[in-house]
Amino acid sequence: MKITEKVEIETVTDVQCDVCLCSTQVTSGGLEFATLQAHWGYGTKHDGEQYELHLCEDCFFLTIANLKQERRIQNLFSEDDDVFSTKARDELGLVARDDYFRN
């Protein structure tokens, strides 16, 4: 015998960018956002702290650009010019690319 009743559930209807406060909804009806997470462990200055930021596409790539710039500055006077290849500098954090949708 099946017993049925209406059950109210919570679901995510939108994710707001933590930087610009814009919605991450796209025209197709889905959500497109990046998540930046940190869980600091024993012995660190921020032991026990956990962070989770949601970023829209624009803010995510602005963050990546800032990190690339910081890496360039940190290695500006490096004696080893080949510390990072050009590809590694340009693709910080990129682990996959689906070229099917690219021109």
Side-chain angles (χ1 to χ4, degrees), residues 37-76:
Q37 294 182 339
H39 297 225
W40 299 106
Y42 181 74
T44 65
K45 289 188 277 185
H46 298 275
D47 186 2
E49 293 180 6
Q50 296 183 21
Y51 293 82
E52 182 172 294
L53 298 169
H54 299 96
L55 304 172
C56 68
E57 186 175 10
D58 289 341
C59 290
F60 173 78
F61 284 102
L62 180 60
T63 300
I64 294 294
N66 287 328
L67 291 171
K68 287 179 184 180
Q69 179 64 18
E70 183 61 28
R71 183 164 65 175
R72 282 190 290 273
I73 291 168
Q74 293 293 327
N75 294 289
L76 188 61

Side-chain angles (χ1 to χ4, degrees), residues 3 9 25 35 39 45 50 81 93 97:
I3 300 173
I9 61 167
Q25 286 185 338
T35 305
H39 297 225
K45 289 188 277 185
Q50 296 183 21
D81 288 338
R97 174 181 283 141

Side-chain angles (χ1 to χ4, degrees), residues 2 4 8 11 15 17 23-24 27 33 36 38 40 48 54-55 57 60-61 69 71-72 88:
K2 290 184 180 178
T4 62
E8 187 176 326
T11 187
V15 174
C17 177
S23 169
T24 62
T27 55
F33 61 92
L36 177 62
W40 299 106
H54 299 96
L55 304 172
E57 186 175 10
F60 173 78
F61 284 102
Q69 179 64 18
R71 183 164 65 175
R72 282 190 290 273

